[in-house]
Every structure is written in structure tokens, then in C-alpha cells.
Amino acid sequence: MEVCYQLPVLPLDRPVPKHVLSRRGAISFSSSSSLFGAPDPRQLSQRRGAISYDSSDQTALYIRMLDVRVRSQVGFEPERRISHPYLSIDFRTLHTRPGYGSTSATSTPERRVHRLLSFQRYLHSSRLLRGVPQQIPLHMLDEDYTGQARCMLEKVGNWNFDIFLFDKLTNGNSLITLTVHLLNQYGLVELFQLDMVKLWRFLVMVQEDYHSDNPYHNAVHAADVTQAMYCYMREPMLAKSLTSCDLLLGILAAATHDLDHPGVNQPFLIKTDHHLATLYRNTSVLENHHWKSAVGLFRETGLFSHLPAEDSLNMERELGSLILATDISRQNDYLCRFRRHLDQENLCLSNASHRHFILQMALKCADICNPCRPWELSKQWSEKVTEEFFQQGDIEKKHSLEVSPLYDRAINTVGNIQIGFMTYVAEPLFAEWTRFSDTRLSQTMLGHMGLNKASWVGLQQEQTAVEPSPAPAEVAGAPTDSVTAGDTSSKEIPQGSKDS
């Protein structure tokens, strides 16, 4: 059974009810948005796009430029606004039912707009209950956490937590299960009086909007980052300083930090003239999209609708600040600021702005912590992120675009990419984090990264000895999206845990 959402047909001489001016795509409109003014109902179907904003957001005007043309009676055809279309990425997917409301499919030349969805959510839109994946039971409490999955959650604070195994045990619902567990463990559901049904629906929609066909930037990566963020927030310096609001923001930011990621990096979106690049003026394009998508789900589900409006808006802004910090192109800015604070020894975690900055650094560490995981986990992440790079490189070759550095599978290997990433990105960041929080967990992460790097070097040497390889790619420049890492030998390293 297919569920479609239809805009009501309104007489032209009657005002448009406020409920018509509701959610469009991934982000909600405010019913009082001045963008619409006194709208003409005949223009409603032209206001399309995967992203929409409040009247206070100047980028709302760009939405008028986003359009979709229905080209057939059995499907949809997105507008080709770019010279090199990447058709598997379209945030303006149109969900239509041909011939609706007419006796014949050809009697009505124009198709009515029923629902505007992100590409990923379009795949789920034909379900009877949108927002409830078929494999997820309707139970929402501890009854869900059965068997081995429940046992794993008891050790969720351990650094060697196997997120791949946990995802299998939860039938592909690791992000939902883990996030609900952490919120309950901290008592945040009760403290913030969160409606459990709204929370569950929010998390289901978050998981839906991660693209499962991305090798790396998918819901499992989000769950892995959330688990790492939990480990960092349990470190002594943070555990005794973070407020309940800090904890809530940290968990939600980790869960949504790559929401609706298209599987390509920012330079790709810019050079293909993608509408998101234009929308955000080529600045933190993906991170802005992740943030705005998360805000849209907040508002659609009404997760914080019971809070005062000022508190809810402030929470959205703080969430955006955390997510925007994961932009790898701003890595040096944050690292220099972090190093300066540590050199001057002036970090005061009783100061709200300093706590927020440390949360930003913690999320940055969690986002690229794969080189610091045990070899069995780190190697899997390394292979996944490299495959995603190579897939983008293949697309760039297909459309005669300049291939991004490190993205050409013909001249790069997993090993040389990971060695460069660890050398120029991960090691400097985690060295400063260890200065800030010199604990067993920090030493464990540095130890794993050293072994992983040595293992990749060894594998590279073995490969060279067997068969001459092409000249290694340039690795001095950091990739524009969060990468993974590593390699580990058989040596054992003490594992950081919730007691560290």
C-alpha cells in the first residue's frame, strides 16, 4: 500500500489555511513565514526543494529556484540543473501518483504534488506507516534490547565496542537502539520530559535519512561516532563538568552530524554546481545541510515543542555549532585554538562557552576516531571510507571532471591514504586531546593509532615487494570529509573503559 501526502485543492478566492504552509522536504516551514506572505494557491506546487527555512533565514529565497519536472506517468525526473548530473544524489525527490483525481492518465496534463521527500526517505515513502521501518518492532523500551545486544549495551563505555556486531544484533538499528539507551542511561528522557513516541519517531527518521548505500557515511558511522562521544563525555574532566543540556546536545549532535550525507565531498558539490553548494555559498555545505536537516526533524516530530520557544531555538543553534565544527576544512582553526588554550592553561569548564568548545573538540575527535580503534574495527572503517572516495573518483572520471586528490583508485591504496590521514590529521588532533585529558582512554587511542599506522606501512612494503606500485599520491592535503584510519598489529593495548 502506498501512502501519498496531497496538498488540498483550494478555491482561488479563499485564503490559504495555515496548515497548508507546513513541512516541505527535510526541513519545516514556519506557518507564519514571511517568505510566503499572502500566497497564491496556484503557486504552491512551485515552492519545492528538499530544504526550507524560517522567514528569518535569507537563504529561503533560493528555494524558489529549486524545481522538479514530472516527465512520465510512472515515475519522476529531477531537474537537471548541473552540467555533470550525479543522478543518485537528489535532495528534491518528488513523490507523485500519476493520473490522481482523474478518470484517465492523460486527461490531466499536470500532475499534483503529493509529497516532497529527501532521496533516502523516498525509498521508504511507500510504507503503510512512514517513519517506522519494517524491521523495527513497535516496542520502544527495554523489551527491544534482548539477548546479546543487551549484553553489549552493558559495555557501551568500552573503547573496543564493536559497532558492526551491534548493528547486526539490532537488525540494522544500531543508531536508534544506542541513542535511546544513552539518553535513558543519563536520565535525559525523564529530565527533559521527552515524549517517548516523539523521540522514537525522531530517531527512526534520522536513521532513515542516512543513506544506507553509502559505504562509509551511513547510520552505522553515526552510531559509532555516538558511542565514541559517550566515551569522551565519561572522561573525568568532562563527566564532572558537563550539564544535562550539554549531554543531550552531545548525544544528538553525534547522532545527526552526517544526516542525509550524499556520499560525496564538498568540492564535488561545488564543481558540479549542486544546488546545496549554491544554497550555502560554498561554505561548510555538507555540515550546514546536516544541521538544517536535523532541525527540520526536530520541528516535524515536535520533539522539543513542549519547551519554551527560546530554549528550543537556542538548542537548535547550539546543535548547529557542534555539527559545523566537524567540517574538516576548518581543522587547523579549531586545533590552533585548542592548542592555544592548553598552552595558556586557561580552559575553565565552569564557563559555558569553554564547555561548548570542548564538546566541539570531542565531537571532532569522535568523528575521525577510526584510526584509534583496535585493528579489526579500524581496518574495516578504512576500507569503507576509501571505497566511498574511489566511488566518487569513478563518477568524476565518468563525467570528465578533475579527479579529487586521493580519490583515484588507479594510483591510490587504502594504506597510503590512511597513513597520510593519520600523519597530517588524526595524530595532531589526538595529541592535543591527550594533553587536555591524559587518561587511560587517551593513551589507549594513541597506542592503537601508532600500531595501526605501523601495520599499514608494513602492508604497503609487502605490496611493493610483491609488485611495483605506482607513485604514491599526494597526502599532504587533508580530505574534505571525515576519514577513517587504521591498522593494528597483534600486540595488545589496555582498553579504555567506563572506569578509565
Side-chain angles (χ1 to χ4, degrees), residues 82-89 263-273 286 386-412 417 479-481:
I82 56 181
S83 56
H84 302 281
Y86 180 36
L87 298 182
S88 63
I89 303 175
V264 294
N265 62 9
Q266 175 174 290
F268 181 91
L269 298 178
I270 293 174
K271 66 187 176 185
T272 56
D273 193 28
L286 289 170
T386 305
E387 179 56 30
E388 190 166 298
F389 287 176
F390 290 164
Q391 285 184 7
Q392 176 180 323
D394 294 343
I395 295 167
E396 291 169 332
K397 288 181 181 179
K398 178 180 178 181
H399 295 291
S400 301
L401 296 169
E402 180 183 358
V403 180
S404 302
L406 309 180
Y407 286 53
D408 190 341
R409 68 173 74 242
I411 61 174
N412 291 283
I417 291 175
T480 57
D481 243 283

Side-chain angles (χ1 to χ4, degrees), residues 42-193:
R42 291 168 294 187
Q43 298 176 350
L44 286 178
S45 63
Q46 299 176 4
R47 290 169 183 149
R48 299 198 276 259
I51 308 176
S52 46
Y53 305 92
D54 299 341
S55 59
S56 60
D57 197 326
Q58 296 180 355
T59 58
L61 295 177
Y62 183 73
I63 300 166
R64 297 179 182 275
M65 299 171 61
L66 306 181
D67 196 9
V68 179
R69 296 194 299 267
V70 178
R71 299 291 297 274
S72 70
Q73 299 177 5
V74 295
F76 56 87
E77 177 74 17
E79 178 186 7
R80 302 188 179 186
R81 301 185 59 257
I82 56 181
S83 56
H84 302 281
Y86 180 36
L87 298 182
S88 63
I89 303 175
D90 193 338
F91 300 85
R92 301 163 293 158
T93 305
L94 176 63
H95 184 195
T96 64
R97 187 189 306 172
Y100 184 86
S102 65
T103 57
S104 107
T106 58
S107 61
T108 304
E110 295 185 0
R111 304 287 175 254
R112 297 179 182 178
V113 178
H114 292 267
R115 188 62 166 145
L116 301 174
L117 305 176
S118 70
F119 178 78
Q120 183 70 3
R121 202 175 303 156
Y122 170 79
L123 302 179
H124 301 271
S125 62
S126 61
R127 295 175 181 168
L128 178 60
L129 295 176
R130 192 186 71 80
V132 182
Q134 293 172 336
Q135 71 271 22
I136 299 181
L138 293 179
H139 323 301
M140 294 181 290
L141 304 177
D142 286 347
E143 298 87 86
D144 245 8
Y145 310 154
T146 58
Q148 297 180 66
R150 186 197 296 270
C151 293
M152 287 194 69
L153 284 174
E154 295 175 356
K155 300 180 180 180
V156 70
N158 289 357
W159 186 245
N160 59 350
F161 188 85
D162 189 340
I163 196 64
F164 297 110
L165 174 60
F166 184 71
D167 192 62
K168 292 178 181 177
L169 295 176
T170 56
N171 199 22
N173 298 305
S174 55
L175 180 58
I176 299 172
T177 307
L178 178 66
T179 306
V180 170
H181 175 77
L182 295 181
L183 293 175
N184 277 316
Q185 182 157 309
Y186 277 121
L188 299 174
V189 174
E190 181 179 1
L191 181 63
F192 286 90
Q193 299 180 342

Side-chain angles (χ1 to χ4, degrees), residues 210-248:
Y210 276 99
H211 296 205
S212 58
D213 54 349
N214 287 346
Y216 180 76
H217 290 103
N218 50 42
V220 182
H221 166 66
D224 184 62
V225 172
T226 304
Q227 189 270 337
M229 190 68 172
Y230 173 69
C231 292
Y232 298 152
M233 293 192 302
R234 289 179 62 86
E235 289 285 78
M237 291 189 65
L238 277 72
K240 66 183 181 182
S241 304
L242 296 179
T243 66
S244 298
C245 187
D246 294 331
L247 296 172
L248 179 63

Side-chain angles (χ1 to χ4, degrees), residues 439-455:
T439 64
R440 184 184 181 187
L441 174 58
S442 298
Q443 294 300 328
T444 295
M445 292 191 297
L446 289 179
H448 279 312
M449 182 156 51
L451 292 175
N452 292 342
K453 186 175 180 181
S455 296

Side-chain angles (χ1 to χ4, degrees), residues 145 155 354 378 475:
Y145 310 154
K155 300 180 180 180
H354 284 193
S378 182
V475 296

